Amino acid sequence: MLWHEVTIHTTEEAQEMISNFLYEAGAGGVSIEESGTLNKERDTRYGELYDQPLNDIPEGEAVIKGYYADSTDMDAVIEELTPRVAELHEYGIDPGKALISWKTVDEDEWAHAWKQYFKPLRVSKRLTIKPTWEEYTPESPDEAIIEIDPGMAFGTGTHPTTALCLRALEKNISGGEEVIDVGTGSGILAVGAMLLGAKSVLALDLDPVAVESARENVALNKLESSITVKESDLLSLLGGEGVADTAAGEMWPSARPGHSLEGAVPAKQEQEGSLGVTLPVQIVVANILAEIIVLFTDDVYRALQPGGLYITSGIYKDKEGLVANALKASGFEIIEISREEDWVAFTAGKRYRWIYYKI
């Protein structure tokens, strides 16, 4: 089978947003390759060895490829992508060179070739990510295995932001917590939370392809009874309003005029049991863009119990201040900031509110 391959040379900062643009333009799959320079500070605490450059992509840059069916009008796709990439400047995101090109390739050249590079990876003291097609024996009884088959639509789960979130979950889950995973993607954080001892997880995503992928990976890990996957966002779940009036709201599908999210209704209209968790919960985790994170910090605050934790990443280093200010403005106390390569993760707590009575 033939596919059209669109290639965009951009920055690591813009990679998540441009990937979304490719999907929204009809891509059946997207691949992201970041710079493999040895100048990056890489986490080697779990035995990874980096002694040769991984590729020749310049530091700070990324190459993103989207794959379209042979029948797709590629002139129309390029016409749609070009202005959307250029508009990222208006939101403080640098798309870099933003060079866009396309060619026709055979499916066998890309659909499965990447699998030879995806090996089991230890991402924390207790968690290892393992592709379904690889054999792996845990090194100790305490090691938990996240089985994943990302398919065409999602990454392997080895991105620094995923590892940062998993490590934060490992540090803060003591057992029995109810968790909401916002923007679940492949479902890897939801699965990780359960393996670390959470009681149950509600995994949310706006993309129906993501919802299907997450459900498949939840089933691979035999966690269907503990993880509920829904096509929704936290805003819709809680019945929030006003996000469409913000500039960055245009970048969030549920905030766009005319957007219809099938099945997404406020929590008060849901059967409580269908959510799999009881609001408010103890932990919310979100591995999404900084520009999206700042839109719903108030909603996360509402979704958490007093003393609850918000773990969030997907934040490029130059957006750290933006997210920190949004968290503080919503009433969060920043407990920890973690960094890996050019990416940042926050662990923030919802403060207890004390009420004093005069006697």
Side-chain angles (χ1 to χ4, degrees):
M1 180 177 179
L2 297 179
W3 291 77
H4 298 311
E5 178 187 80
V6 173
T7 301
I8 303 179
H9 293 263
T10 183
T11 63
E12 292 182 0
E13 176 185 4
Q15 63 183 17
E16 299 292 343
M17 187 55 67
I18 290 178
S19 297
N20 290 338
F21 293 163
L22 288 166
Y23 283 125
E24 291 175 358
V30 171
S31 69
I32 300 174
E33 189 174 13
E34 296 180 339
S35 171
T37 176
L38 293 181
N39 293 329
K40 282 187 176 182
E41 181 179 346
R42 300 180 186 275
D43 192 329
T44 59
R45 77 184 85 172
Y46 304 109
E48 300 93 330
L49 176 64
Y50 301 98
D51 58 357
Q52 295 292 329
L54 303 178
N55 54 48
D56 58 0
I57 299 173
E59 187 171 357
E61 297 185 16
V63 175
I64 305 177
K65 297 180 180 181
Y67 296 89
Y68 295 81
D70 186 37
S71 58
T72 304
D73 182 348
M74 294 310 296
D75 289 336
V77 170
I78 301 302
E79 185 177 347
E80 176 181 342
L81 290 172
T82 302
R84 297 197 70 186
V85 173
E87 286 172 359
L88 289 176
H89 287 290
E90 299 179 15
Y91 303 101
I93 300 175
D94 178 15
K97 300 173 184 176
L99 300 176
I100 304 176
S101 61
W102 71 276
K103 65 179 181 180
T104 302
V105 298
D106 189 272
E107 182 174 22
D108 290 339
E109 293 180 21
W110 66 273
H112 301 293
W114 60 272
K115 290 185 177 181
Q116 64 182 303
Y117 302 107
F118 182 17
K119 303 295 182 181
L121 178 67
R122 189 76 170 263
V123 292
S124 71
K125 291 180 180 179
R126 294 173 54 195
L127 293 174
T128 293
I129 299 172
K130 186 188 86 66
T132 55
W133 55 86
E134 288 284 334
E135 296 293 330
Y136 178 76
T137 302
E139 296 178 359
S140 72
D142 295 332
E143 185 179 357
I145 308 301
I146 301 175
E147 292 268 358
I148 185 170
D149 186 348
M152 289 198 308
F154 295 96
T156 58
T158 57
H159 191 274
T161 59
T162 307
L164 287 168
C165 285
L166 287 171
R167 291 170 196 156
L169 286 168
E170 181 174 293
K171 185 178 293 187
N172 291 287
I173 290 178
S174 57
E177 292 88 350
E178 292 186 308
V179 180
I180 297 177
D181 176 13
V182 182
T184 192
S186 64
I188 192 168
L189 297 183
V191 171
M194 287 303 307
L195 295 179
L196 290 167
K199 175 184 176 182
S200 57
V201 180
L202 171 60
L204 305 175
D205 207 292
L206 291 165
D207 185 352
V209 177
V211 170
E212 183 61 29
S213 175
R215 286 175 177 158
E216 290 174 357
N217 285 316
V218 166
L220 278 175
N221 290 274
K222 300 179 174 58
L223 292 169
E224 301 97 317
S225 63
S226 304
I227 300 175
T228 302
V229 183
K230 282 191 172 293
E231 185 181 339
S232 180
D233 57 26
L234 192 60
L235 189 74
S236 300
L237 190 73
L238 297 174
E241 297 178 355
V243 68
D245 298 328
T246 66
E250 297 177 10
M251 301 161 69
W252 195 1
S254 67
R256 294 180 190 146
H259 176 84
S260 175
L261 187 60
E262 183 179 353
V265 296
K268 63 184 179 182
Q269 297 178 26
E270 289 265 13
Q271 294 291 327
E272 185 173 280
S274 71
L275 294 177
V277 299
T278 301
L279 294 168
V281 297
Q282 290 89 0
I283 296 176
V284 173
V285 60
N287 184 20
I288 52 182
L289 288 169
E291 291 77 11
I292 307 304
I293 290 169
V294 300
L295 294 178
F296 65 96
T297 50
D298 286 346
D299 296 295
V300 173
Y301 197 89
R302 291 166 54 204
L304 283 169
Q305 296 178 5
L309 295 176
Y310 182 25
I311 296 168
T312 185
S313 191
I315 305 159
Y316 199 71
K317 61 185 179 181
D318 66 347
K319 303 297 181 184
E320 179 177 334
L322 174 72
V323 175
N325 290 336
L327 290 170
K328 293 173 184 175
S330 294
F332 283 103
E333 176 185 4
I334 296 175
I335 297 171
E336 183 178 17
I337 302 175
S338 304
R339 299 175 180 86
E340 184 170 334
E341 298 179 19
D342 294 325
W343 301 91
V344 180
F346 285 89
T347 299
K350 179 174 180 175
R351 294 186 178 96
Y352 286 95
R353 294 184 176 178
W354 302 99
I355 300 175
Y356 296 92
Y357 295 93
K358 291 183 178 180
I359 300 176

